[in-house]
Structures are given as structure tokens and as C-alpha cells.
Amino acid sequence: AYFSYGFWKKEETYYEQPQIVFNHKIALLVEASSGLMAFSTLPEFNQMAGYSNVRIPQVQSLEDDPDLNGRMDFFNLTITMPLQSPEEV
């Protein structure tokens, strides 16, 4: 038999940190005043969207591990889509 000296665990908390990885694959649709704009790192997606609608954005990604435990705590993805002068998003 198990003897716990009068202590029975009634509640326990468990924390888990997911592993976040950006594999540099992206598909993007933007609705603008001139219609849909698209971009993807997958050529098939760009072909389906029609090459006249494809714009090449600037993509910046930042993974941050401030507690230096080897697992990324923050992920920041910034995408800047070029617009022509009369276009609005």
C-alpha cells in the first residue's frame, strides 16, 4: 500500500512550451482596391493565381529566445507588399 503522510495531491500545474519553426514557405493573398494580389514560395500557387496578380513582397522573419533555453519564445513575421500609386489595401 501507498502511504502519503496525510498529503494527497489535489491539483497540479504542467507547463509546456511548443517548438516554433519557420520553414520559409509562405502563401499570401491580399485584397486590394484593384483586385487580389498573390505571392507564394510555391510555384504552383503563383501559377493558379495568375502571374499578372503576383507581387513579390519583402518578407522579414525574426525568431527570439530571450531566456536562452534553446526554444524560440517569440516569432515575428513582417510582410511588406508593394502597391502601385492608386492601389489601397
Side-chain angles (χ1 to χ4, degrees):
Y2 177 74
F3 185 66
S4 66
Y5 299 101
F7 176 77
W8 291 96
K9 191 185 311 184
K10 294 184 179 184
E11 186 177 308
E12 184 175 355
T13 304
Y14 175 75
Y15 294 99
E16 185 172 315
Q17 184 177 6
Q19 188 167 357
I20 301 171
V21 178
F22 177 48
N23 59 7
H24 304 286
K25 293 181 182 177
I26 189 169
L28 177 67
L29 280 175
V30 176
E31 187 175 355
S33 57
S34 62
L36 285 178
M37 296 183 289
F39 172 75
S40 178
T41 54
L42 307 169
E44 299 84 10
F45 182 88
N46 291 333
Q47 186 177 8
M48 282 188 339
Y51 289 111
S52 62
N53 298 330
V54 173
R55 303 275 178 91
I56 300 174
Q58 179 182 6
V59 179
Q60 296 174 333
S61 64
L62 172 68
E63 296 174 342
D64 193 15
D65 179 23
D67 57 3
L68 302 174
N69 67 352
R71 290 187 171 240
M72 296 303 131
D73 295 308
F74 300 100
F75 180 76
N76 186 11
L77 182 65
T78 303
I79 302 172
T80 305
M81 182 69 85
L83 298 175
Q84 295 174 355
S85 59
E87 291 179 325
E88 293 180 357
V89 176

